[in-house]
């Protein structure tokens, strides 16, 4: 709050008082009142008036300067009323009460939507748990059936399972709580589980798997990492159409991190689309041509990787192939403390 801004607020009132005083002064002069008396009247008129404005300015300035400073420093502006002191002048008290009321309503809305989100997440998790049983039963029935018309149905059911799992992790990822546990695990076991899950797809599409020896130990949530690796490998499988298709999986060690590389020689991604593949709902040219992408898989991977404080990058060249790198920091302190 500057002095100039304050004066602009009272300039009209001061101007009216000057006009009135000039009128009174002219009248006093007209009736032959001495100039000294007119000056004394002027001092009595403007002295208390200007003094009261000066005291008002000195009282308001610290309060409003403090409000402005707090707003600028706060990340969550709606918490302003939580940290500001209640002022002692009427105008400030009115503002303070308005902010407190607004803040209280914001908290009520936030709690309401948190409850709704929590209930939605519980429903999705329960639904996923329930739907897995009939799918597993269907796959068992199909495996025991020797007829031809249902060939390929198991693969379709596996895709349904993957989409259901994707929905589950999407629901969990939007939760404000940390629904994961960081601990030490062997990356090889995680990768092996994913390869086993997709073994039939590898065989069906005749994709060669080039798996290097992976002896590395990483720190993260094993289930979440398994989901991320699975999403990347499903993408690689979906976009391998060449006769000699392959997917290569290996790790490289660096000073501060370990990188899991998943490389394929599939159709690749157009250069203009590479920078957008982690955006929600983005399918790009490949999604439009092959109708394989929902635009959620890689978006979800990026979201989960960020929550786990890992890293993910992608390099691709159209008609050559794609390389996805999942980066694990070597220091578990970084993961546990962040």
């Amino acid at each position: 709050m500057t002095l100039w801004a304050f004066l602009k607020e009272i300039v009209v009132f001061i101007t009216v008082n000057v006009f009135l005083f000039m009128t009174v002064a002219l009248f006093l002069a007209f009736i032959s009142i001495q100039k000294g008396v007119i000056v004394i009247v002027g001092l009595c008129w403007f002295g208390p008036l200007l003094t009261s404005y000066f005291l008002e300015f000195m009282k308001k300035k610290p309060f409003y300067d403090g409000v402005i400073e707090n707003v600028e420093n706060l990340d969550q502006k709606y918490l302003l009323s939580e940290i500001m002191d209640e002022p002692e002048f009427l105008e400030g008290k009115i503002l303070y009460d308005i902010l407190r009321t607004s803040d209280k309503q914001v908290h009520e809305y936030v709690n309401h939507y948190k409850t709704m989100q929590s209930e939605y997440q519980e429903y999705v998790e329960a639904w996923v748990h329930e739907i897995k049983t009939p799918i597993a039963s269907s796959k068992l029935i199909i495996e025991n059936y020797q007829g031809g018309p249902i060939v390929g149905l198991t693969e379709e059911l596996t895709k349904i399972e993957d989409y259901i799992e994707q929905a589950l992790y999407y629901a969990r990822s939007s939760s404000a709580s940390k629904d994961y546990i960081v601990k030490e695990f062997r990356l090889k076991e995680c990768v092996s589980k994913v390869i086993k899950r997709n073994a039939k797809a590898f065989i069906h599409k005749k994709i060669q798997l080039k798996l290097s020896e992976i002896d590395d130990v990483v720190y993260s949530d094993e289930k979440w990492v398994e989901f991320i690796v699975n999403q990347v490998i499903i993408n690689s499988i979906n976009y391998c159409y060449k006769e000699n298709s392959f997917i290569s999986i290996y790790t490289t060690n660096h000073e501060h991190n370990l990188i899991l590389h998943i490389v394929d020689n599939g159709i690749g991604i157009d250069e203009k689309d590479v920078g957008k593949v982690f955006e929600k709902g983005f399918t790009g040219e490949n999604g439009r041509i092959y109708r394989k992408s929902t635009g959620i898989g890689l978006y979800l991977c990026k979201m989960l990787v960020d929550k786990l404080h890992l890293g993910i990058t992608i390099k691709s060249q159209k008609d050559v192939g794609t390389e996805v790198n999942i980066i694990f920091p070597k220091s578990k302190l970084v993961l546990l403390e962040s």
Side-chain angles (χ1 to χ4, degrees):
M1 182 179 181
T2 63
L3 179 61
W4 175 243
F6 180 76
L7 291 174
K8 284 171 67 178
E9 285 293 310
I10 62 173
V11 67
V12 174
F13 190 74
I14 294 294
T15 303
V16 170
N17 274 270
V18 170
F19 176 76
L20 290 174
F21 173 74
M22 292 297 294
T23 302
V24 172
L26 289 173
F27 175 74
L28 293 176
F30 179 74
I31 61 175
S32 303
I33 300 297
Q34 293 181 353
K35 292 181 180 178
V37 175
I38 297 175
V39 172
I40 292 172
V41 171
L43 291 174
C44 293
W45 188 310
F46 289 102
L49 183 67
L50 295 178
T51 302
S52 67
Y53 277 128
F54 174 75
L55 294 176
E56 184 182 348
F57 174 74
M58 296 303 292
K59 186 166 54 179
K60 290 182 177 178
K61 180 176 170 54
F63 172 74
Y64 287 115
D65 285 350
V67 170
I68 293 170
E69 185 180 354
N70 288 331
V71 168
E72 291 174 349
N73 294 331
L74 271 177
D75 290 331
Q76 296 170 317
K77 311 297 185 190
Y78 65 90
L79 294 176
L80 174 64
S81 64
E82 299 284 346
I83 61 171
M84 66 186 287
D85 297 326
E86 185 175 359
E88 296 181 353
F89 58 97
L90 180 60
E91 183 182 304
K93 285 183 179 180
I94 293 172
L95 174 63
Y96 178 80
D97 290 340
I98 291 172
L99 290 175
R100 295 287 288 187
T101 303
S102 174
D103 181 44
K104 183 181 176 183
Q105 194 167 31
V106 168
H107 279 295
E108 288 174 352
Y109 273 112
V110 169
N111 289 333
H112 172 68
Y113 284 107
K114 277 183 178 177
T115 303
M116 287 178 60
Q117 187 182 43
S118 177
E119 290 174 351
Y120 171 72
Q121 182 179 335
E122 288 176 7
Y123 164 74
V124 171
E125 291 185 10
W127 181 84
V128 168
H129 178 72
E130 293 295 329
I131 203 69
K132 279 184 175 178
T133 303
I135 291 175
S137 300
S138 300
K139 292 174 78 174
L140 189 60
I141 293 170
I142 292 167
E143 286 176 3
N144 293 325
Y145 184 76
Q146 300 300 321
I150 58 173
V151 172
L153 198 54
T154 302
E155 188 179 338
E156 295 304 315
L157 285 172
T158 301
K159 289 180 182 177
I160 292 173
E161 278 187 314
D162 290 333
Y163 283 125
I164 289 172
E165 187 181 49
Q166 196 179 74
L168 174 64
Y169 275 86
Y170 189 94
R172 286 177 173 172
S173 69
S174 60
S175 171
S177 62
K178 289 188 174 181
D179 191 19
Y180 56 85
I181 301 172
V182 176
K183 63 179 182 179
E184 179 184 279
F185 69 92
R186 301 188 69 81
L187 193 56
K188 179 182 180 180
E189 294 175 5
C190 176
V191 173
S192 297
K193 288 179 185 175
V194 175
I195 291 171
K196 188 177 179 182
R197 287 174 61 176
N198 295 281
K200 289 184 179 178
F202 273 98
I203 295 169
H204 177 68
K205 296 194 73 173
K206 299 178 180 177
I207 299 171
Q208 182 186 2
L209 174 64
K210 298 180 179 180
L211 180 62
S212 300
E213 191 63 33
I214 300 174
D215 294 323
D216 309 284
V217 172
V218 295
Y219 299 93
S220 192
D221 183 288
E222 188 173 358
K223 281 287 182 185
W224 284 40
V225 171
E226 184 182 326
F227 173 81
I228 294 165
V229 173
N230 188 51
Q231 290 297 306
V232 174
I233 289 182
I234 287 174
N235 263 14
S236 295
I237 292 172
N238 285 341
Y239 293 110
C240 277
Y241 287 99
K242 298 177 181 175
E243 287 188 3
N244 298 314
S245 293
F246 70 82
I247 295 176
S248 177
I249 304 174
Y250 61 95
T251 57
T252 54
N253 272 285
H254 304 269
E255 183 179 359
H256 298 297
N257 55 46
L258 177 141
I259 300 177
L260 175 67
H261 304 263
I262 301 171
V263 185
D264 66 65
N265 67 338
I267 59 174
I269 304 170
D270 193 276
E271 185 180 351
K272 69 178 187 299
D273 290 342
V274 174
K276 303 176 183 176
V277 295
F278 294 121
E279 294 179 6
K280 185 180 181 181
F282 181 78
T283 57
E285 186 179 327
N286 290 344
R288 289 190 292 274
I289 295 175
Y290 297 94
R291 297 182 182 278
K292 293 284 186 182
S293 174
T294 60
I296 294 297
L298 287 177
Y299 163 75
L300 197 49
C301 286
K302 182 68 169 67
M303 189 191 297
L304 299 183
V305 157
D306 288 344
K307 284 183 178 289
L308 292 171
H309 304 287
L310 306 180
I312 187 168
T313 62
I314 188 166
K315 294 184 287 187
S316 189
Q317 189 175 346
K318 193 174 182 180
D319 300 325
V320 176
T322 302
E323 176 179 346
V324 177
N325 298 323
I326 301 172
I327 305 161
F328 297 86
K330 283 187 175 177
S331 171
K332 64 179 180 180
L333 291 177
V334 173
L335 300 168
L336 294 173
E337 291 177 355
S338 54

